[in-house]
Amino acid sequence: MGDVLAGFHAAWEFESDSVRIRYERGIRTPKLFQALGERLVPLAALEEVTLTPGRRGTVVLRAVPRPGADPLIEAAAGQLKDAYDPYRLVLPAERETLAEYYADELRGLLTESGPVDRHLVTAPSGPLQFKAYDGKAFFDGTSVRFRWFWTGASTAKWKAGDQSFPVADLGDVEWRSPDVLQGHLRLVPRHSANERPTPPDQDPAAVVFGLGYGPVHESLPFAAAVLAAVRDRRPGAVVSSAAARRDPADIAERIRHLGELHEAGLVTDEEFSFKKAELLAEL
């Protein structure tokens, strides 16, 4: 479609085979959206589009991802509050007719539904790190490291020492939102499905959240990136870089559009160079 629909905190750009979601950087924009920046969502990753009344004179356009298509949504496991949902676009009620038009257009392009066996939406890129209550977590793309804080870590974790977990040894990632009690991030080793989990504060494979520690905008993208790396290493997973390559004409168009944003002062020199290199790497 090539059109752009702007709402509060985000804008959706409709492409022939995807929706590009750009999030604002304003102080009122949820920090999770600011951390995500921009996401390219293939239409094959979506199974439904809804339009519902919102609060205080707004309407909400929402794309519903297929189960397993997005590592961020898979890691969140239904724990995200509506305000943090990256697939919601909130618009003024007077734009409802326009929103309904785009909703109908999108529905007409969706041809698949149901669970998928691989991620179709790219995970947040690394390296990533965040501070938990009892330690600091690092992820470099191949392994996760936990470095304990003497002020917060339990005796069990201190005795175990700082930890390093190669992605190849992991089977899953468990994220419990810091907005609830006992929020944590736990790494689940392969072949341990039947083992009774240790309490997170005693488990050297987990870091515990707390007030101001492990916030959603830091810990959830981290969990999603690790989960994506784990899934990519499953038997039968497609990891060939050729599968991720895009049409050169599409890349050229994206770079042209990026140049226009740069000339208009909407992206910095550093952002332009980084994104251009990222696009060229997809060839």
Side-chain angles (χ1 to χ4, degrees), residues 91-200:
L91 304 114
E94 57 266 25
R95 306 191 72 187
E96 181 176 3
T97 300
L98 182 62
E100 183 62 54
Y101 165 77
Y102 283 109
D104 287 341
E105 289 289 308
L106 273 178
R107 292 186 189 109
L109 296 173
L110 303 184
T111 60
E112 302 180 60
S113 62
V116 295
D117 58 4
R118 63 186 179 90
H119 292 141
L120 301 177
V121 182
T122 303
S125 59
L128 299 171
Q129 62 182 11
F130 71 90
K131 286 184 179 181
Y133 174 74
D134 54 359
K136 192 169 185 178
F138 305 84
F139 179 54
D140 62 5
T142 59
S143 63
V144 181
R145 293 184 295 115
F146 292 156
R147 188 181 69 201
W148 307 122
F149 296 153
W150 69 271
T151 53
S154 64
T155 300
K157 291 184 177 181
W158 268 113
K159 288 183 177 180
D162 292 346
Q163 300 290 299
S164 180
F165 303 88
V167 168
D169 294 341
L170 301 177
D172 205 353
V173 180
E174 178 183 274
W175 181 80
R176 293 293 177 267
S177 175
D179 293 335
V180 300
L181 294 176
Q182 299 182 335
H184 63 269
L185 179 136
R186 189 200 306 270
L187 305 176
V188 182
R190 297 174 62 186
H191 314 302
S192 63
N194 296 325
E195 296 181 9
R196 185 174 182 179
T198 304

Side-chain angles (χ1 to χ4, degrees), residues 1-5 12-15 101-102:
M1 289 180 278
D3 297 336
V4 176
L5 181 62
W12 289 11
E13 182 178 344
F14 302 97
E15 302 180 6
Y101 165 77
Y102 283 109

Side-chain angles (χ1 to χ4, degrees), residues 8-10 12 21 23 30-33 36 39 46 50 60-65 70 72-73 76 78-90 216 220:
F8 299 112
H9 309 314
W12 289 11
I21 304 176
Y23 302 101
K31 290 184 178 180
L32 176 60
F33 295 176
L36 294 175
R39 310 194 81 206
L46 303 176
T50 64
V60 179
L61 180 64
R62 183 173 188 271
V64 181
D70 185 346
L72 189 86
I73 299 302
Q79 301 173 77
L80 281 180
K81 297 179 179 179
D82 283 349
Y84 293 155
D85 185 347
Y87 287 92
R88 292 173 80 249
L89 183 65
V90 181
V216 171
L220 180 56

Side-chain angles (χ1 to χ4, degrees), residues 9 11 18 25-26 28-29 40 44 56 84 102 124 141 154 175 201 218 224 230 274:
H9 309 314
S18 60
R25 299 181 180 179
R28 295 186 179 182
T29 302
L40 182 65
R56 300 176 182 176
Y84 293 155
Y102 283 109
S154 64
W175 181 80
D201 64 326
E218 294 180 356
V230 170
F274 177 82

